[in-house]
Amino acid sequence: MRRTAALAAVLTLAPLAPARAQPALPLAAVEQAVARLTARHGEGQAARIRRGVEQVAQRWWAEDGTPEELLAFVEASFLADPAELDATAARLERVMEQALGHLHEVRREIMTPLDLDTGPVRRVDELLANLDLAAHVDEDLYRTQVAFLALLNFPVHTLEERLAQGPAWDRAAWARSRMMDRFSERMPAAVLQEWTAATTRADQYIADYNIRLDRLVTPEGERLFPEGLRLITHWGLRDELAAHYPDPSAAGLAKQRAILEVMERIVRQEIPLAVIDNADRLWEPFANTVRPLHPAEAVDPERLAREREPDTRYARLLEVFQAARQQDPYSPATPTYVERSFERGREIPEKEVEALLVSVLESPEVRDLAALIKQRLGRPLEPFDIWYSGFKPRGRYSEAELDKVVRERYATVEAFQAKLPEVLRGLGFPAEKAAWLAERIVVDPARGAGHALGAARREDKAHLRTRVPKQGMDYKGYNIAIHELGHNVEQVFSLNAIDHWWLAGVPNNAFTEAMAFVFQNRDLELLGLASPGPEARRTQALATLWNTYEIGGVALVDMRVWNWLYAHSEATPAELRQAVLGIAREVWNRWYAPHFGVRDAEVLAVYSHMIVYGLYLPDYPLGHLIAFQVADRLRGDDFGAEFERVTRQGRLTPDAWMRGAVGEPLSARALLAAARDALQAERTNL
């Protein structure tokens, strides 16, 4: 009864599409179809029939045919024979792997000039980036009625159903459930194309957003950073800031404060347009003054400083939001991007994610850890200390020392590619498995900070992208590369070693981030600069807690910004800028100011993910928590076997995956308990 009532509401009150494609089926037509099929196949099939017909009706538009044509379709297409259902599911799986996999490869080729450091981006590349052939797949699946065949014969499960019924499902049942995620929403190709265009524009904006730190000067006109230091925001700026903790001098602190000022100028859009990736301008960020590198150049310094970036950062975010909003009418069960991100994307409700993050932010362990960091620094905490790196083994080495070690091993992208088997053996994979993995991973020079691009077809390969300067890979690029390698190894296992293609992957992005963190936490160990042991685990607990504390606040800012956008959908870029800054201050004042003694900091809004990858940021703190829970199973000689075991579970729900991996649900308890023990050990050693 509830389902029938819900269907009636959808058909009469909540159209899924604009006028050209509104649902055209009266409820009587649905009941007639159900009655005819039940009479033919018997009451034993009645529940399946009703659910299937209603699923079709919810997505049947006027352009698909009349009620009589729908009736003819369901009578011809309902599959009562279990063997026929099995064969149909297998055929869909094979065809979709090949179709979507090849389209994924086409898209990778189209995006190569924008994603990789292959030379100048030409006008043709900018235009081709808006070409997404995959955007038409779903539309064609409906036009050919393949999607309707699937909807008629297989259920689209809700999160509630998966949580309740999933523990009793076998792998084939899980695969069919995931198959139907493909058909849960019906999005017109034009809507998907606009999403691709908006996110591509945002991605290109961020990928080209570099700051010439070598052109930053003090009020006295002295250069702060070495020649050639050009860093992407926010990743490069954050990592450079963290790299100066081993330097206790006033010069190191001055560099950190300058980078913080750069970050805040960016988020406030007070950054002069002339200094973005411009080697011909000198910038003093505290007074926000600009002058030419060559004094003889005839320019007006006051005009250069006055012409700020015109809220481009927030205009790009608004474009992404509006593209997401166009999808809302086509997703009746999750009618906002926020709901889709949490209910369908993460399969963890937003309130549960927020409660999990707050449990860390408000923990006494964070309070005690902040006090310990303050003691170690010998000064009051400043806002940039959210990136304190003293608990990481790298804190014992200068950036120059780390760069030297990395460049001796990996001078080029090709050198890193050649040594992938060695790196994987160092992590604990047997030689044969390391070689198998390395054969399925391609290393590319990233134009941006770096990312991992998995394959979608088992005959294809995963791609690891990291930034490699002309002088050779530096520690920043290596650290990112090891992180992305964790993604790639997970991607290879969860695609190439999986039993059902529909289960390829992990429950959500937080889980692949967790696997990447497991690798990244061992980067110095792979260089021979750190070793595992009880002390290392205690240090890792403190580092992970501080990282989770930092990125947890950033994630809350991201979540609150998207909720604000839905409440103010007609906002201008300037209004959005003010809202983001206000949200960043609110989050800071509640959970950071009590430990830092500084109010109204806005640095939590600097993460570039917020502009490009809407609501991706919550996956990072979740990933830290997952990685810490899983890490106990990934120690010792069986690291490789355990990593493979947990990633080959595939795309179950987060709860089912965690129980299969570690025997308990996702929580912060393991991390907080380990941090408590580590803090006690610190107090004992004082």
Side-chain angles (χ1 to χ4, degrees):
M1 288 294 293
R2 286 182 299 175
R3 188 168 321 203
T4 302
L7 176 65
V10 167
L11 294 180
T12 59
L13 300 176
L16 299 179
R20 68 169 187 83
Q22 288 182 355
L25 298 172
L27 191 57
V30 174
E31 292 301 324
Q32 184 181 14
V34 170
R36 284 196 187 181
L37 287 176
T38 303
R40 176 183 297 181
H41 298 287
E43 286 296 328
Q45 298 278 2
R48 277 193 62 229
I49 289 169
R50 177 166 292 281
R51 183 161 188 167
V53 170
E54 289 179 356
Q55 287 180 167
V56 170
Q58 286 174 331
R59 296 158 182 83
W60 188 278
W61 296 346
E63 63 191 43
D64 298 316
T66 64
E68 291 74 20
E69 288 172 312
L70 175 132
L71 184 60
F73 170 79
V74 299
E75 286 188 305
S77 305
F78 182 76
L79 306 176
D81 181 3
E84 190 64 23
L85 284 171
D86 290 344
T88 299
R91 179 61 176 157
L92 284 172
E93 182 172 58
R94 175 61 182 166
V95 170
M96 294 304 290
E97 176 179 0
Q98 294 303 311
L100 298 178
H102 282 297
L103 288 170
H104 174 79
E105 293 160 41
V106 170
R107 181 65 182 167
R108 185 176 65 221
E109 175 59 32
I110 287 173
M111 294 300 295
T112 290
L114 277 70
D115 287 344
L116 303 187
D117 189 10
T118 56
V121 176
R122 296 179 171 83
R123 177 58 176 160
V124 64
D125 299 322
E126 295 174 346
L127 295 175
L128 282 171
N130 295 319
L131 176 63
D132 185 4
L133 301 181
H136 298 272
V137 170
D138 288 345
E139 183 173 300
D140 290 341
L141 287 170
Y142 277 99
R143 285 179 175 174
T144 59
Q145 297 190 329
V146 172
F148 291 127
L149 176 71
L151 288 162
L152 179 63
N153 290 286
F154 303 99
V156 176
H157 289 120
T158 64
L159 175 57
E160 183 180 7
E161 286 175 319
R162 283 194 178 127
L163 292 176
Q165 302 170 20
W169 289 349
D170 60 16
R171 299 285 293 178
W174 269 108
R176 290 187 185 186
S177 182
R178 286 305 186 196
M179 175 179 74
M180 294 310 296
D181 285 347
R182 184 77 202 183
F183 307 106
S184 63
E185 297 166 350
R186 186 179 183 182
M187 298 283 176
V191 171
L192 296 175
Q193 196 83 39
E194 180 54 35
W195 172 258
T196 298
T199 54
T200 299
R201 286 192 296 270
D203 189 44
Q204 187 173 359
Y205 165 75
I206 291 298
D208 292 337
Y209 206 107
N210 293 279
I211 301 297
R212 296 296 303 245
L213 286 190
D214 57 354
R215 299 298 184 261
L216 232 57
V217 297
T218 67
E220 294 73 33
E222 297 178 0
R223 300 275 191 97
L224 283 165
F225 297 93
E227 180 67 27
L229 190 58
R230 170 181 175 265
L231 298 177
I232 192 169
T233 184
H234 73 286
W235 296 275
L237 297 178
R238 175 201 61 192
D239 292 346
E240 178 68 20
L241 191 155
H244 289 283
Y245 279 104
D247 180 5
S249 69
L253 187 58
K255 292 176 181 178
Q256 291 176 314
R257 287 171 175 162
I259 293 174
L260 176 67
E261 189 67 21
V262 170
M263 290 177 166
E264 292 191 329
R265 293 289 186 191
I266 290 170
V267 299
R268 292 197 295 262
Q269 293 284 254
E270 295 171 351
I271 183 171
L273 188 62
V275 305
I276 301 173
D277 208 9
N278 190 347
D280 294 327
R281 299 289 179 260
L282 297 175
W283 180 29
E284 198 283 276
F286 292 96
N288 210 22
T289 57
V290 184
R291 68 173 191 269
L293 176 67
H294 307 290
E297 185 180 353
V299 295
D300 180 2
E302 291 186 5
R303 180 182 62 80
L304 292 177
R306 189 169 57 248
E307 292 180 352
R308 68 176 181 87
E309 184 184 14
D311 291 336
T312 309
R313 179 180 182 88
Y314 300 101
R316 291 289 176 268
L317 175 54
L318 271 178
E319 289 175 1
V320 172
F321 164 69
Q322 295 298 352
R325 194 166 165 238
Q326 288 185 34
Q327 300 177 15
D328 293 350
Y330 305 94
S331 182
T334 49
T336 70
Y337 182 76
V338 176
E339 292 171 285
R340 291 192 292 279
S341 295
F342 288 95
E343 296 288 334
R344 298 206 66 85
R346 286 183 186 85
E347 293 190 305
I348 308 175
E350 181 186 9
K351 293 301 181 184
E352 289 187 21
V353 172
E354 182 175 354
L356 194 57
L357 300 184
V358 170
S359 73
V360 175
L361 269 59
E362 294 184 347
S363 68
E365 289 79 15
V366 162
R367 176 200 62 209
D368 295 344
L369 184 53
L372 176 61
I373 294 172
K374 179 179 178 181
Q375 183 181 27
R376 286 191 172 192
L377 291 172
R379 60 169 172 79
L381 296 181
E382 299 188 36
F384 59 79
D385 289 319
I386 58 173
W387 294 302
Y388 174 73
S389 63
F391 295 117
K392 300 178 181 179
R394 63 170 283 184
R396 297 195 295 268
Y397 304 96
S398 69
E399 195 78 358
E401 290 172 320
L402 293 172
D403 288 346
K404 183 175 183 296
V405 173
V406 170
R407 284 184 178 133
E408 286 175 352
R409 296 192 181 203
Y410 312 114
T412 63
V413 168
E414 291 76 17
F416 191 78
Q417 176 84 64
K419 292 190 176 182
L420 272 184
E422 177 184 321
V423 172
L424 291 164
R425 290 195 302 271
L427 285 162
F429 292 96
E432 184 178 351
K433 187 68 69 173
W436 182 83
L437 289 165
E439 288 171 359
R440 288 160 175 79
I441 299 172
V442 177
V443 183
D444 298 321
R447 185 179 294 278
H451 62 277
L453 184 65
R457 193 174 60 98
R458 279 171 277 203
E459 296 88 344
D460 192 18
K461 296 183 179 182
H463 284 248
L464 187 161
R465 278 84 184 268
T466 190
R467 182 175 279 203
V468 181
K470 292 180 180 179
Q471 61 269 33
M473 183 180 281
D474 56 20
Y475 175 71
K476 292 186 184 72
Y478 165 76
N479 179 264
I480 290 172
I482 298 300
H483 179 95
E484 305 307 340
L485 181 60
H487 284 304
N488 288 140
V489 172
E490 173 270 302
Q491 290 163 348
V492 171
F493 277 138
S494 66
L495 173 66
N496 297 80
I498 204 78
D499 51 353
H500 293 278
W501 180 77
W502 287 114
L503 289 177
V506 287
N508 59 47
N509 289 326
F511 286 79
T512 190
E513 289 299 341
M515 298 298 100
F517 288 140
V518 168
F519 273 46
Q520 189 175 18
N521 290 338
R522 298 179 61 186
D523 66 335
L524 292 188
E525 182 185 325
L526 292 169
L527 294 174
L529 301 177
S531 58
E535 183 179 353
R537 287 197 289 274
R538 287 195 294 269
T539 301
Q540 186 60 54
L542 297 180
T544 301
L545 178 57
W546 196 248
N547 289 342
T548 308
Y549 174 56
E550 173 258 329
I551 199 67
V554 172
L556 287 176
V557 171
D558 195 17
M559 293 161 65
R560 292 183 178 194
V561 165
W562 272 87
N563 280 295
W564 184 92
L565 280 166
Y566 269 100
H568 304 83
S569 58
E570 304 304 320
T572 65
E575 291 168 338
L576 176 57
R577 167 171 51 84
Q578 291 300 323
V580 170
L581 295 175
I583 290 168
R585 290 192 296 268
E586 289 172 3
V587 172
W588 179 274
N589 289 342
R590 178 169 177 182
W591 287 296
Y592 295 82
H595 305 318
F596 283 73
V598 177
R599 290 184 60 80
D600 293 334
E602 297 162 337
V603 71
L604 295 176
V606 77
Y607 270 65
S608 298
H609 303 73
M610 190 185 302
I611 310 304
V612 186
Y613 314 114
L615 287 175
Y616 188 98
L617 283 164
D619 290 325
Y620 284 108
L622 293 177
H624 283 307
L625 298 177
I626 295 163
F628 204 85
Q629 281 184 276
V630 173
D632 280 339
R633 300 296 182 97
L634 302 177
R635 291 199 181 100
D637 296 337
D638 60 348
F639 174 91
E642 277 296 288
F643 193 96
E644 180 177 359
R645 180 186 70 83
V646 299
T647 53
R648 285 181 65 177
Q649 293 184 98
R651 199 159 57 93
L652 309 178
T653 60
D655 185 71
W657 195 99
M658 286 300 295
R659 292 181 188 276
V662 300
E664 61 183 22
L666 169 61
S667 78
R669 288 193 298 272
L671 174 59
L672 295 177
R676 266 196 313 275
D677 292 342
L679 287 164
Q680 180 59 43
E682 287 282 339
R683 287 190 286 267
T684 302
N685 293 332
L686 290 178

